[in-house]
């Protein structure tokens, strides 16, 4: 199972773009990269998933280089409500492993 | 809203007791996974059920057991509760037919005294 490494915490200001990078050096061919967001006392919420290159949806973009050993979650123009823990996961089977995540704190 | 509901939302038990937590999966999903999340940590995988059979298990002792029913709802049972079992228990549903995206409920907060 591919292990992921991401920063423990990040600070930002409202309106800024936030990029959170995750490394997954041992990613397997069939693995997908998925990001979740979690607020206190709630379950994680799916943000975005990708296999390679770039994926964009209404809330975020996911950039994956050709070697797929890392990925970057990009949150455009964050607001105070984006303060949460963000998890990077590599999914290739039944066992979805969460790391400690990145605590993003958005300041006014 | 993910369509995944868990009950109860909060629960207080004492050491040695047994507890049953319940989860109703999102319509159309045939897979349920259970996670334990201690304060300040990421969710830890307990096990997964696919079409009523255990499909994989994390590093949890046998006193953690589960069931999945024909309607794909699920139960997590924990026997002989210990203080360290105090945590947020999360249920996630998914469908192997449409990828591995997990849809989580809001969890059950279990306190063991």
């Amino acid at each position: 199972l591919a292990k992921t490494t991401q920063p423990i915490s990040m600070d930002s200001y409202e309106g800024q773009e936030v990029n959170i990078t995750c490394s997954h050096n041992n990613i397997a061919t069939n693995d997908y990269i998925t990001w979740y967001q979690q607020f206190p006392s709630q379950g994680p919420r799916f943000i975005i998933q990708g296999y390679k290159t770039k994926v964009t949806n209404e809330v975020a973009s996911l950039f994956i280089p050709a070697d797929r050993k890392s990925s970057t979650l990009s949150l455009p123009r964050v607001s105070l409500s984006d303060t949460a823990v963000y998890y990077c996961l590599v999914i290739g089977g039944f066992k979805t492993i969460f790391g400690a995540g990145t605590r993003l704190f958005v300041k006014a | 809203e993910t369509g995944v509901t868990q009950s109860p939302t909060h629960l207080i038990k004492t050491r040695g007791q047994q507890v049953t937590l319940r989860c109703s999966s999102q319509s159309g999903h045939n897979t349920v996974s259970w996670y334990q999340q201690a304060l300040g940590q990421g969710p830890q995988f307990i096990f997964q059920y696919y079409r009523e059979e255990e499909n994989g298990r994390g590093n949890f002792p046998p006193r953690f057991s589960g069931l999945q029913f024909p309607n794909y709802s699920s139960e997590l049972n924990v026997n002989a509760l210990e203080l360290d079992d105090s945590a947020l228990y999360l249920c996630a549903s998914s469908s192997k037919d449409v990828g591995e995206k997990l849809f989580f409920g809001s969890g059950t907060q279990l306190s063991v005294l």
Side-chain angles (χ1 to χ4, degrees):
Chain A
L1 295 166
K3 179 182 176 181
T4 61
T5 303
Q6 53 184 121
I8 295 174
S9 64
M10 295 180 69
D11 288 346
S12 183
Y13 288 92
E14 280 190 294
Q16 288 188 332
E17 178 185 76
V18 171
N19 296 307
I20 306 175
T21 297
C22 176
S23 66
H24 26 80
N25 292 318
N26 297 321
I27 190 169
T29 303
N30 295 329
D31 290 342
Y32 280 78
I33 299 154
T34 309
W35 286 78
Y36 285 83
Q37 174 194 56
Q38 186 178 27
F39 299 111
S41 300
Q42 294 186 27
R45 182 178 73 99
F46 172 86
I47 301 175
I48 198 166
Q49 182 181 70
Y51 184 80
K52 61 181 178 180
T53 63
K54 177 184 175 182
V55 179
T56 298
N57 62 21
E58 63 277 8
V59 298
S61 294
L62 178 60
F63 300 91
I64 305 169
D67 66 5
R68 305 202 324 124
K69 294 183 182 298
S70 66
S71 59
T72 299
L73 174 72
S74 181
L75 304 173
R77 297 180 298 282
V78 295
S79 64
L80 297 177
S81 62
D82 292 319
T83 293
V85 179
Y86 292 81
Y87 295 98
C88 164
L89 295 90
V90 172
I91 301 177
F94 67 85
K95 200 173 180 179
T96 298
I97 305 298
F98 284 78
T102 297
R103 297 181 180 277
L104 173 65
F105 185 67
V106 180
K107 296 178 276 191
Chain B
E1 287 296 324
T2 63
V4 179
T5 58
Q6 292 186 242
S7 63
T9 55
H10 296 81
L11 200 54
I12 299 174
K13 291 285 188 178
T14 56
R15 276 187 305 173
Q17 285 189 312
Q18 178 267 343
V19 68
T20 297
L21 310 182
R22 295 178 174 83
C23 172
S24 294
S25 58
Q26 184 171 327
S27 177
H29 285 182
N30 52 26
T31 303
V32 172
S33 304
W34 285 92
Y35 289 80
Q36 179 195 66
Q37 186 172 27
L39 191 63
Q41 298 182 20
Q44 301 297 307
F45 176 76
I46 302 175
F47 43 56
Q48 181 184 85
Y49 279 83
Y50 172 62
R51 294 184 176 177
E52 303 178 59
E53 297 288 333
E54 186 177 293
N55 189 44
R57 189 178 185 92
N59 189 27
F60 280 81
R63 61 188 184 85
F64 286 78
S65 63
L67 284 172
Q68 187 179 31
F69 300 100
N71 66 355
Y72 301 132
S73 65
S74 178
E75 287 182 355
L76 165 65
N77 299 291
V78 187
N79 294 322
L81 284 167
E82 301 176 359
L83 297 181
D84 287 348
D85 295 333
S86 295
L88 180 67
Y89 288 85
L90 296 162
C91 164
S93 77
S94 59
S95 174
K96 293 190 182 300
D97 302 327
V98 291
E100 301 292 343
K101 296 176 188 176
L102 299 174
F103 295 85
F104 284 85
S106 295
T108 294
Q109 184 65 54
L110 173 65
S111 298
V112 183
L113 306 178

